[in-house]
Amino acid sequence: NANPPSYWGNEEDGRELRTYIRNDQYTIQWGKRSRLQIPVGQELKDEYGLGYHERLRLEVRGNPKWDGEQGRLELEYDEVSDTFRAFQPVTVPDSRLESPLASHEAALDVGANNLVACSTTTGNQYLYDGRELFGRFRETTDEIARLQSKLHEDRSSSKRIRRLYRQRTKRRDHAQDALVRDLVERLYDEGVAM
């Protein structure tokens, strides 16, 4: 059975309500109306009118990026957007991961204003500008400092401050993940060795 969700992290950086479910304890059916089925304890079964052997069935949105053997499912509650997110790692056969005919190379320059500048031996160049993202990061940091300056002396944080920390971190992580995914897909399509 799955453990009940519990909090991860600390007060200052924000805590996340999260749980993990073993790969043999859940099923996901992908399609027009995708469904996630997970085991729950008797208390929740009673609350939702489920039978002894029934599992909780939830609608899920999204499309799988890879098809493979499912790993341990991670469920996380995002307080900022008031939604649950599921992360499902999969093991993909080696044959699916092999590089294309990789006869080209790429050089990367990682920085702050330009997050990544990339040149390839195919003659293509890619530039991922980070100024807007960095500006939003700085604005959120300034707002956190402003709110912290208004706190009573006996308090070090507030729900609003924790929410801003979490929002800032998630925004940064999402931008980094999107950048890497986009760049890797482009390089793969060009036949660049990875």
Side-chain angles (χ1 to χ4, degrees):
N1 281 341
N3 290 328
S6 56
Y7 283 99
W8 294 58
N10 58 55
E11 287 287 334
E12 186 172 313
D13 294 331
R15 300 185 312 162
E16 296 175 344
L17 186 61
R18 184 187 313 169
T19 192
Y20 293 95
I21 303 171
R22 277 189 354 220
N23 64 334
D24 61 348
Q25 291 292 308
Y26 74 92
T27 57
I28 295 183
Q29 298 167 329
W30 295 105
K32 210 169 190 179
R33 296 180 63 98
S34 300
R35 296 261 189 265
L36 166 66
Q37 292 187 53
I38 57 174
V40 293
Q42 193 59 47
E43 192 174 314
L44 279 177
K45 286 181 180 181
D46 293 342
E47 185 176 333
Y48 289 100
L50 298 174
Y52 184 76
H53 293 290
E54 281 187 272
R55 292 171 153 215
L56 183 61
R57 290 181 53 157
L58 305 168
E59 270 191 45
V60 292
R61 287 188 300 161
N63 295 311
K65 304 273 188 277
W66 294 94
D67 183 25
E69 182 182 332
Q70 69 185 30
R72 181 178 69 169
L73 183 73
E74 178 183 346
L75 291 178
E76 175 187 297
Y77 176 67
D78 184 347
E79 192 177 88
V80 174
S81 60
D82 191 28
T83 57
F84 282 90
R85 288 197 170 80
F87 301 93
Q88 181 197 34
V90 295
T91 302
V92 178
D94 288 341
S95 61
R96 299 262 322 273
L97 294 175
E98 290 177 6
S99 292
L101 296 173
S103 57
H104 297 284
E105 296 177 349
L108 303 176
D109 180 23
V110 179
N113 285 331
N114 292 321
L115 297 177
V116 174
C118 174
S119 295
T120 69
T121 55
T122 63
N124 287 331
Q125 296 183 333
Y126 305 106
L127 182 65
Y128 295 88
D129 184 3
R131 281 178 280 236
E132 182 183 335
L133 178 66
F134 189 64
R136 288 171 59 191
F137 188 91
R138 191 172 37 240
E139 286 172 11
T140 305
T141 302
D142 292 345
E143 178 65 5
I144 288 169
R146 188 186 72 76
L147 292 171
Q148 285 174 331
S149 71
K150 293 185 171 200
L151 290 173
H152 292 291
E153 289 181 18
D154 58 336
R155 296 190 63 196
S156 61
S157 191
S158 69
K159 187 174 182 179
R160 173 79 176 131
I161 291 171
R162 287 190 298 272
R163 185 176 292 137
L164 285 171
Y165 270 117
R166 184 174 303 147
Q167 186 179 49
R168 184 183 70 174
T169 300
K170 285 187 181 297
R171 190 182 299 141
R172 181 204 61 208
D173 292 350
H174 174 74
Q176 288 174 338
D177 291 347
L179 183 155
V180 169
R181 185 170 44 250
D182 182 71
L183 183 58
V184 167
E185 287 174 0
R186 287 179 183 209
L187 295 179
Y188 182 91
D189 290 343
E190 282 186 51
V192 173
M194 297 198 220

Coordinates of all heavy atoms in Angstrom, one line a residue, residues 105-157:
E105 N 29.0 17.6 -33.9 CA 29.2 17.9 -32.5 C 28.7 19.3 -32.2 O 28.4 20.1 -33.1 CB 30.7 17.9 -32.2 CG 31.3 16.5 -32.4 CD 32.8 16.5 -32.1 OE1 33.4 17.6 -32.1 OE2 33.4 15.4 -32.0
A106 N 28.5 19.6 -30.9 CA 28.0 20.9 -30.5 C 28.9 21.4 -29.3 O 29.5 20.6 -28.6 CB 26.6 20.8 -30.0
A107 N 29.1 22.7 -29.3 CA 29.8 23.4 -28.2 C 28.8 24.2 -27.5 O 28.0 25.0 -28.1 CB 30.9 24.2 -28.8
L108 N 28.8 24.2 -26.1 CA 27.8 24.9 -25.3 C 28.6 25.9 -24.4 O 29.6 25.6 -23.9 CB 27.0 24.0 -24.4 CG 26.2 22.9 -25.1 CD1 25.6 22.0 -24.1 CD2 25.2 23.5 -26.0
D109 N 28.0 27.1 -24.3 CA 28.5 28.1 -23.4 C 27.3 28.4 -22.4 O 26.3 28.9 -22.9 CB 29.0 29.4 -24.1 CG 29.5 30.4 -23.2 OD1 29.9 30.1 -22.0 OD2 29.5 31.6 -23.6
V110 N 27.5 28.2 -21.2 CA 26.5 28.4 -20.2 C 26.7 29.7 -19.4 O 27.9 29.9 -19.0 CB 26.4 27.2 -19.2 CG1 25.3 27.4 -18.2 CG2 26.1 25.9 -20.0
G111 N 25.7 30.5 -19.3 CA 25.9 31.8 -18.6 C 24.7 32.2 -17.9 O 23.7 31.5 -17.7
A112 N 24.6 33.5 -17.5 CA 23.5 34.0 -16.7 C 22.5 34.8 -17.6 O 21.3 34.4 -17.7 CB 24.0 35.0 -15.6
N113 N 23.0 35.8 -18.3 CA 22.1 36.5 -19.2 C 21.7 35.7 -20.4 O 20.5 35.7 -20.8 CB 22.7 37.8 -19.7 CG 22.8 38.9 -18.6 OD1 21.9 38.9 -17.8 ND2 23.7 39.7 -18.7
N114 N 22.6 35.0 -21.0 CA 22.3 34.0 -22.1 C 22.5 32.7 -21.4 O 23.6 32.3 -21.1 CB 23.3 34.1 -23.3 CG 23.0 35.4 -24.0 OD1 21.8 35.8 -24.2 ND2 24.0 36.0 -24.5
L115 N 21.4 32.0 -21.1 CA 21.5 30.7 -20.3 C 22.4 29.7 -21.0 O 23.2 29.1 -20.4 CB 20.1 30.2 -20.1 CG 19.2 31.1 -19.2 CD1 17.8 30.4 -19.1 CD2 19.7 31.3 -17.8
V116 N 22.1 29.6 -22.3 CA 23.0 28.7 -23.1 C 23.1 29.3 -24.5 O 22.2 29.7 -25.1 CB 22.3 27.3 -23.3 CG1 23.1 26.4 -24.2 CG2 22.2 26.6 -21.9
A117 N 24.4 29.3 -25.0 CA 24.7 29.6 -26.4 C 25.3 28.3 -27.0 O 26.2 27.7 -26.4 CB 25.7 30.7 -26.5
C118 N 24.8 27.9 -28.1 CA 25.2 26.6 -28.7 C 25.5 26.8 -30.1 O 24.8 27.4 -30.9 CB 24.0 25.6 -28.5 SG 24.3 24.0 -29.3
S119 N 26.7 26.2 -30.5 CA 27.1 26.2 -31.9 C 27.3 24.7 -32.3 O 27.9 24.0 -31.5 CB 28.3 27.0 -32.2 OG 28.1 28.4 -31.9
T120 N 26.9 24.3 -33.5 CA 27.1 23.0 -33.9 C 27.9 22.9 -35.2 O 28.0 23.9 -35.9 CB 25.7 22.3 -34.2 OG1 25.2 22.9 -35.4 CG2 24.7 22.4 -33.1
T121 N 28.5 21.8 -35.4 CA 29.3 21.6 -36.6 C 28.5 21.6 -37.9 O 29.0 21.5 -39.0 CB 30.2 20.4 -36.6 OG1 29.4 19.2 -36.3 CG2 31.3 20.5 -35.5
T122 N 27.1 21.6 -37.7 CA 26.2 21.7 -38.9 C 26.1 23.1 -39.3 O 25.5 23.4 -40.3 CB 24.8 21.1 -38.6 OG1 24.2 21.9 -37.5 CG2 24.9 19.7 -38.1
G123 N 26.6 24.0 -38.5 CA 26.5 25.5 -38.8 C 25.4 26.2 -38.1 O 25.2 27.4 -38.3
N124 N 24.6 25.4 -37.4 CA 23.5 26.1 -36.7 C 23.9 26.6 -35.3 O 24.9 26.1 -34.7 CB 22.3 25.1 -36.4 CG 21.6 24.8 -37.7 OD1 21.5 25.6 -38.6 ND2 21.0 23.6 -37.8
Q125 N 23.2 27.7 -34.9 CA 23.5 28.3 -33.6 C 22.2 28.5 -32.9 O 21.2 28.8 -33.5 CB 24.2 29.6 -33.8 CG 25.6 29.5 -34.4 CD 26.3 30.9 -34.5 OE1 25.6 31.9 -34.5 NE2 27.6 30.9 -34.4
Y126 N 22.2 28.3 -31.6 CA 21.0 28.4 -30.7 C 21.4 29.3 -29.5 O 22.4 29.1 -28.9 CB 20.5 27.1 -30.2 CG 20.2 26.1 -31.4 CD1 21.1 25.0 -31.6 CD2 19.1 26.3 -32.2 CE1 20.8 24.2 -32.6 CE2 18.9 25.4 -33.2 CZ 19.7 24.4 -33.5 OH 19.5 23.5 -34.5
L127 N 20.5 30.3 -29.2 CA 20.8 31.2 -28.1 C 19.5 31.2 -27.3 O 18.4 31.4 -27.7 CB 21.1 32.6 -28.6 CG 21.4 33.6 -27.6 CD1 22.7 33.3 -26.8 CD2 21.5 35.0 -28.2
Y128 N 19.7 30.8 -26.0 CA 18.6 30.8 -25.0 C 18.8 32.0 -24.1 O 19.6 31.9 -23.2 CB 18.5 29.5 -24.3 CG 18.1 28.3 -25.2 CD1 19.1 27.6 -25.8 CD2 16.8 28.0 -25.4 CE1 18.8 26.6 -26.7 CE2 16.5 26.9 -26.2 CZ 17.5 26.2 -26.9 OH 17.2 25.2 -27.7
D129 N 18.0 33.1 -24.3 CA 18.1 34.3 -23.5 C 17.5 34.1 -22.1 O 16.4 33.7 -22.0 CB 17.4 35.4 -24.3 CG 17.6 36.8 -23.6 OD1 18.3 36.9 -22.6 OD2 17.0 37.7 -24.1
G130 N 18.3 34.5 -21.1 CA 17.8 34.3 -19.7 C 17.5 35.6 -19.0 O 17.1 35.6 -17.8
R131 N 17.5 36.8 -19.7 CA 17.3 38.0 -19.0 C 15.9 38.2 -18.5 O 15.7 38.6 -17.3 CB 17.6 39.2 -20.0 CG 19.1 39.5 -20.1 CD 19.3 40.6 -21.1 NE 19.2 40.0 -22.5 CZ 20.2 40.1 -23.4 NH1 21.3 40.8 -23.1 NH2 20.0 39.6 -24.5
E132 N 14.9 37.8 -19.2 CA 13.5 37.9 -18.7 C 13.3 37.0 -17.5 O 12.8 37.4 -16.5 CB 12.5 37.5 -19.8 CG 11.1 37.7 -19.4 CD 10.1 37.2 -20.4 OE1 10.4 37.3 -21.6 OE2 9.0 36.8 -20.1
L133 N 13.8 35.8 -17.6 CA 13.7 34.8 -16.5 C 14.4 35.3 -15.3 O 13.9 35.3 -14.1 CB 14.2 33.5 -16.9 CG 14.2 32.4 -15.8 CD1 12.8 32.0 -15.4 CD2 14.9 31.1 -16.3
F134 N 15.6 35.8 -15.5 CA 16.4 36.4 -14.4 C 15.8 37.6 -13.8 O 15.8 37.8 -12.6 CB 17.9 36.7 -14.9 CG 18.8 37.1 -13.8 CD1 19.2 36.1 -12.8 CD2 19.4 38.3 -13.7 CE1 20.0 36.4 -11.8 CE2 20.2 38.7 -12.7 CZ 20.6 37.7 -11.8
G135 N 15.2 38.4 -14.6 CA 14.4 39.6 -14.1 C 13.3 39.2 -13.2 O 13.0 39.8 -12.2
R136 N 12.5 38.2 -13.7 CA 11.4 37.7 -12.8 C 11.9 37.1 -11.5 O 11.3 37.3 -10.5 CB 10.5 36.7 -13.6 CG 9.7 37.4 -14.7 CD 9.1 36.4 -15.7 NE 8.2 35.5 -15.0 CZ 7.7 34.5 -15.6 NH1 7.9 34.2 -16.8 NH2 6.8 33.7 -14.9
F137 N 13.0 36.4 -11.6 CA 13.6 35.8 -10.4 C 14.0 36.9 -9.4 O 13.7 36.8 -8.2 CB 14.8 35.0 -10.8 CG 15.4 34.2 -9.7 CD1 15.0 32.9 -9.5 CD2 16.4 34.7 -8.9 CE1 15.5 32.1 -8.5 CE2 16.9 33.9 -7.8 CZ 16.5 32.6 -7.6
R138 N 14.6 38.0 -9.9 CA 15.0 39.1 -9.1 C 13.8 39.8 -8.5 O 13.8 40.2 -7.3 CB 15.9 40.0 -9.9 CG 16.6 41.1 -9.1 CD 17.6 41.9 -9.8 NE 17.3 42.2 -11.2 CZ 18.0 41.9 -12.3 NH1 19.1 41.2 -12.1 NH2 17.6 42.2 -13.5
E139 N 12.7 40.0 -9.3 CA 11.5 40.7 -8.8 C 10.9 39.9 -7.7 O 10.5 40.5 -6.6 CB 10.5 40.8 -9.9 CG 10.8 41.9 -10.9 CD 9.9 41.9 -12.1 OE1 8.8 41.1 -12.1 OE2 10.1 42.6 -13.1
T140 N 10.9 38.6 -7.8 CA 10.3 37.7 -6.7 C 11.2 37.8 -5.5 O 10.7 37.9 -4.4 CB 10.2 36.3 -7.2 OG1 9.4 36.3 -8.4 CG2 9.5 35.4 -6.2
T141 N 12.5 37.8 -5.7 CA 13.5 37.9 -4.6 C 13.3 39.2 -3.8 O 13.3 39.3 -2.6 CB 14.9 37.7 -5.1 OG1 15.0 36.5 -5.7 CG2 15.9 37.8 -3.9
D142 N 13.1 40.3 -4.6 CA 12.9 41.6 -4.0 C 11.5 41.6 -3.2 O 11.5 42.2 -2.1 CB 12.9 42.7 -5.0 CG 14.2 42.9 -5.7 OD1 15.2 42.5 -5.1 OD2 14.3 43.6 -6.7
E143 N 10.5 41.0 -3.7 CA 9.2 40.9 -3.0 C 9.3 40.1 -1.8 O 8.8 40.5 -0.7 CB 8.1 40.3 -4.0 CG 6.8 40.2 -3.4 CD 6.1 41.5 -2.9 OE1 6.7 42.6 -3.2 OE2 5.0 41.4 -2.3
I144 N 10.1 39.0 -1.8 CA 10.3 38.2 -0.6 C 11.0 39.1 0.5 O 10.6 39.1 1.6 CB 11.1 37.0 -0.9 CG1 10.3 36.0 -1.7 CG2 11.7 36.3 0.3 CD1 11.1 34.8 -2.3
A145 N 12.0 39.8 0.1 CA 12.8 40.7 1.0 C 11.8 41.8 1.6 O 11.9 42.0 2.8 CB 14.0 41.3 0.3
R146 N 11.0 42.3 0.7 CA 10.0 43.4 1.2 C 9.1 42.8 2.2 O 8.9 43.4 3.3 CB 9.3 43.9 0.0 CG 8.4 45.1 0.4 CD 7.5 45.6 -0.8 NE 6.5 44.6 -1.1 CZ 5.3 44.5 -0.4 NH1 5.1 45.3 0.7 NH2 4.4 43.6 -0.7
L147 N 8.5 41.6 2.0 CA 7.6 41.0 2.9 C 8.3 40.6 4.2 O 7.7 40.7 5.3 CB 6.9 39.8 2.3 CG 6.0 40.1 1.1 CD1 5.5 38.8 0.4 CD2 4.8 40.9 1.6
Q148 N 9.6 40.1 4.1 CA 10.3 39.7 5.3 C 10.6 40.9 6.2 O 10.6 40.8 7.4 CB 11.6 39.0 4.9 CG 11.4 37.6 4.4 CD 12.7 37.0 3.9 OE1 13.6 37.7 3.4 NE2 12.8 35.6 4.0
S149 N 10.8 42.1 5.6 CA 11.1 43.3 6.4 C 9.8 43.7 7.2 O 10.0 44.4 8.1 CB 11.6 44.4 5.5 OG 10.5 44.9 4.7
K150 N 8.6 43.3 6.7 CA 7.4 43.7 7.4 C 7.0 42.7 8.5 O 6.0 43.0 9.2 CB 6.3 43.9 6.4 CG 6.5 45.0 5.5 CD 5.3 45.2 4.6 CE 5.5 46.5 3.8 NZ 4.2 47.0 3.3
L151 N 7.7 41.6 8.6 CA 7.3 40.6 9.6 C 7.6 41.1 11.0 O 8.5 41.8 11.2 CB 8.1 39.3 9.4 CG 7.7 38.5 8.1 CD1 8.7 37.3 7.9 CD2 6.3 37.9 8.2
H152 N 6.8 40.6 12.0 CA 7.2 40.9 13.4 C 8.5 40.2 13.7 O 8.9 39.2 13.1 CB 6.1 40.3 14.3 CG 4.8 41.0 14.1 ND1 4.6 42.3 14.5 CD2 3.6 40.6 13.6 CE1 3.3 42.7 14.3 NE2 2.7 41.7 13.7
E153 N 9.2 40.7 14.7 CA 10.5 40.2 15.1 C 10.5 38.8 15.4 O 11.5 38.1 15.2 CB 11.1 41.1 16.2 CG 11.4 42.5 15.8 CD 12.0 43.3 17.0 OE1 12.5 42.6 17.9 OE2 12.1 44.5 16.9
D154 N 9.4 38.2 15.9 CA 9.4 36.8 16.4 C 9.1 35.9 15.2 O 9.1 34.7 15.4 CB 8.4 36.7 17.5 CG 7.0 37.0 17.1 OD1 6.9 37.9 16.2 OD2 6.0 36.5 17.7
R155 N 8.9 36.4 14.0 CA 8.6 35.5 12.9 C 9.7 35.6 11.8 O 10.2 36.7 11.6 CB 7.2 35.9 12.3 CG 6.1 35.7 13.2 CD 4.8 35.9 12.6 NE 4.6 34.8 11.5 CZ 3.7 34.9 10.6 NH1 2.9 35.9 10.5 NH2 3.6 34.0 9.7
S156 N 10.0 34.5 11.2 CA 11.0 34.5 10.2 C 10.4 34.3 8.8 O 11.1 34.5 7.8 CB 12.0 33.3 10.4 OG 11.3 32.1 10.4
S157 N 9.1 33.9 8.7 CA 8.5 33.6 7.4 C 7.0 33.7 7.5 O 6.4 33.9 8.6 CB 8.9 32.2 6.9 OG 8.5 32.1 5.5

